[in-house]
Amino acid sequence: MRLLARREFARAELRGRLQAWAEPSDDVDGLLDSLQSAGWLSDERAAQSAARRRAGRSGALALAHDLRRRGIAGEAAEAVLGPARDSEPLDARALLRRRFPEPPADAAERARRWRFLQARGFAPESIRAALAGLAAEDDH
């Protein structure tokens, strides 16, 4: 219960943690079933929590990797990945504005910004759109 009080866990993630402490005779899956039926354990809530933590700082690729690592897949993952993909170009542009307030001086600086966004899990199409949007804003 202490683990669940700190943050939302996915079933697979909590199962791994509990099995590390469990005795061979312990029924970890039974416990997880009871927690899930009581509403204390939810892959959907864990996915939403992960998406909120990463919002505005990471792209959909990084979020997808985090969800896979936690054992969240299927509808729970797609429910948060769809909106993350939709908002990704705007999130990338806002992140660039915060991190780099000045427009890029040359191609090397533009490449640096590309790598910055790529390292944070943004898709190439979103990076391209964000850089193009900033360039259009700077021209005005």
Side-chain angles (χ1 to χ4, degrees):
M1 294 304 285
R2 276 194 325 252
L3 290 173
L4 288 175
R6 290 185 192 142
R7 69 172 176 88
E8 294 289 341
F9 280 85
R11 181 183 176 99
E13 185 180 19
L14 188 58
R15 185 175 195 270
R17 294 236 181 158
L18 292 176
Q19 282 187 326
W21 299 326
E23 298 292 324
S25 62
D26 291 339
D27 183 20
V28 173
D29 287 324
L31 173 64
L32 293 174
D33 289 339
S34 65
L35 289 173
Q36 206 163 7
S37 66
W40 294 340
L41 182 64
S42 168
D43 282 356
E44 291 81 13
R45 283 196 318 261
Q48 291 168 354
S49 175
R52 278 192 305 273
R53 266 193 318 276
R54 291 184 165 279
R57 295 185 335 223
S58 301
L61 295 173
L63 177 59
H65 176 73
D66 187 33
L67 294 176
R68 276 192 310 273
R69 184 182 57 80
R70 293 173 187 270
I72 302 171
E75 291 178 20
E78 279 306 313
V80 296
L81 286 174
R85 286 184 195 111
D86 293 342
S87 68
E88 194 175 58
L90 296 176
D91 292 343
R93 187 184 308 181
L95 184 58
L96 278 178
R97 273 195 209 117
R98 284 193 308 268
R99 178 76 164 95
F100 303 101
E102 298 298 318
D106 55 10
E109 188 63 29
R110 183 176 165 86
R112 179 175 174 229
R113 292 169 193 206
W114 183 286
R115 289 188 306 272
F116 171 78
L117 290 175
Q118 190 175 28
R120 281 151 185 81
F122 288 93
E125 307 83 40
S126 298
I127 297 171
R128 193 173 296 111
L131 289 172
L134 287 177
E137 287 177 9
D138 291 339
D139 290 342
H140 287 53

